[in-house]
């Protein structure tokens, strides 16, 4: 397979999976493993995440602009930003101190990814079928304690295959939110979390970054942006009607296929 086609496929997969609870990192690492695609210093894999991040900014630009301009004199805007900071803080601390272990051990073990995909899928199925009466249906008005607790759940996504959005959504559901607001808050939490992760990745890999394949990076970036834009626009309505079961079954299927592939290629 040519590098151009691999770049297109990886960009599409990044955009399709970044904001749904199936683990974009797990999909990207497994695909890269089986396609034999790996850029120097993971430059390609790092930069195309910015395409998905740009999709969130595009869809929620008006709200983000309101938060940015009104927080000095709007108590509700300040409260939401504080809550977002509280949710981001646990992952920032753990990610900083455990970075080397995460990147050199967990990210290099495809079997861990496959198992995490399957286990996370089973958990999502159980949560989706659990009878619940949500206490909070507005992501802007969660208690500050709830923001922080959701942030603790997000830390589970340090294990590739768990899914950042899946961990935050599952945490929200367990803590009493409804499906729609849990998914929407996972979008907003992606902004500081992904932004900081990409910036730190670029910094840590600054000595080995290689932007010589700018064409491949551009293809992946645009593909990730376009597909992530479509996902963000339809996801909230989809989960309100269908729940998370389709994503859970997808996770389980990908995990099982991944294990089968590793067994056939001697990767277990």
């Amino acid at each position: 397979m040519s590098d151009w086609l691999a770049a297109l496929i990886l960009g599409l997969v990044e955009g399709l999976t970044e904001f749904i609870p199936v683990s974009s990192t797990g999909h990207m690492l497994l695909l890269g493993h089986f396609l034999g695609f790996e850029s120097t210093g993971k430059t390609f894999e790092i930069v195309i995440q910015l395409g998905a991040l740009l999709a969130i900014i595009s869809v929620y630009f008006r709200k983000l602009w309101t938060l940015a301009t009104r927080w000095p004199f709007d108590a509700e805007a300040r409260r939401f930003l504080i809550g977002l900071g509280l949710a981001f803080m646990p992952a920032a601390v753990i990610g900083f101190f455990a970075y080397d272990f995460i990147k050199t051990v967990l990210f290099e073990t495809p079997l861990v990814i496959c198992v995490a995909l399957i286990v996370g899928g089973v958990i999502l199925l159980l949560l989706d079928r659990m009878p619940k009466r949500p206490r909070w249906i507005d992501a802007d008005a969660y208690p500050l304690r709830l923001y922080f607790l959701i942030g603790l759940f997000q830390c589970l996504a340090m294990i590739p295959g768990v899914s950042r959005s899946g961990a935050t959504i599952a945490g929200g559901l367990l803590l009493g939110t409804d499906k729609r607001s849990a998914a929407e808050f996972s979008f907003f939490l992606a902004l500081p979390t992904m932004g900081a992760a990409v910036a730190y990745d670029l910094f840590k890999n600054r000595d080995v970054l290689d932007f010589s394949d700018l064409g491949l990076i551009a293809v992946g970036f645009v593909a990730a942006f376009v597909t992530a834009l479509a996902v963000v626009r339809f996801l909230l309505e989809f989960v309100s009607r269908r729940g998370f079961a389709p994503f859970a079954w997808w996770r389980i299927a990908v995990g099982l296929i991944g294990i089968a592939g590793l067994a056939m290629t001697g990767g277990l």
Side-chain angles (χ1 to χ4, degrees):
M1 179 181 292
S2 72
D3 284 348
W4 290 98
L5 182 56
L8 177 62
I9 291 172
L10 288 168
L12 291 172
V13 169
E14 164 64 24
L16 285 171
T17 59
E18 183 61 58
F19 301 113
I20 62 177
V22 299
S23 178
S24 63
T25 301
H27 280 70
M28 292 285 285
L29 291 173
L30 286 176
L31 264 180
H33 175 81
F34 289 117
L35 295 177
F37 182 93
E38 184 175 355
S39 61
T40 304
K42 299 282 187 183
T43 308
F44 175 89
E45 294 87 342
I46 294 170
V47 174
I48 66 168
Q49 293 180 71
L50 296 175
L53 203 59
L54 183 60
I56 285 284
I57 295 171
S58 300
V59 171
Y60 286 100
F61 180 79
R62 182 176 296 179
K63 178 165 184 174
L64 292 171
W65 179 257
T66 299
L67 289 170
T69 56
R70 294 186 60 85
W71 71 266
F73 48 88
D74 186 324
E76 289 186 6
R78 281 198 305 277
R79 186 180 179 284
F80 181 70
L81 290 175
I82 291 170
L84 202 57
L86 289 172
F88 165 66
M89 184 172 58
V93 173
I94 294 176
F96 178 79
F97 287 106
Y99 179 87
D100 290 336
F101 174 76
I102 293 167
K103 291 294 184 179
T104 60
V105 177
L106 297 180
F107 273 50
E108 300 299 329
T109 313
L111 182 59
V112 169
I113 299 168
C114 294
V115 172
L117 283 168
I118 294 169
V119 172
V122 172
I123 291 172
L124 266 184
L125 277 178
L126 294 175
L127 283 173
D128 205 48
R129 296 174 179 180
M130 187 185 301
K132 295 176 293 291
R133 300 185 67 179
R135 298 174 60 191
W136 296 287
I137 59 173
D138 183 357
D140 291 356
Y142 288 169
L144 292 180
R145 178 180 62 88
L146 181 60
Y147 289 120
F148 179 73
L149 292 175
I150 291 175
L152 291 178
F153 274 94
Q154 181 179 235
C155 295
L156 295 173
M158 302 291 178
I159 304 170
V162 169
S163 168
R164 186 204 58 78
S165 61
T168 56
I169 289 169
L173 294 177
L174 283 171
L175 294 167
T177 71
D178 72 316
K179 296 174 183 177
R180 185 184 182 93
S181 71
E184 185 172 40
F185 183 65
S186 78
F187 291 162
F188 285 106
L189 188 52
L191 291 171
T193 303
M194 287 178 62
V198 169
Y200 194 56
D201 268 338
L202 290 173
F203 172 75
K204 292 287 284 187
N205 290 285
R206 63 191 182 282
D207 295 330
V208 293
L209 287 175
D210 181 6
F211 288 92
S212 60
D213 291 326
L214 286 177
L216 293 176
I217 294 172
V219 167
F221 182 95
V222 172
F225 169 73
V226 172
T227 51
L229 196 62
V231 167
V232 172
R233 285 179 170 167
F234 98 91
L235 184 62
L236 295 183
E237 186 61 30
F238 182 87
V239 298
S240 296
R241 291 185 290 107
R242 300 286 300 277
F244 297 108
F247 305 122
W249 286 117
W250 175 264
R251 291 176 62 104
I252 293 169
V254 171
L256 292 173
I257 292 170
I259 290 174
L262 290 173
M264 288 188 292
T265 58
L268 286 179

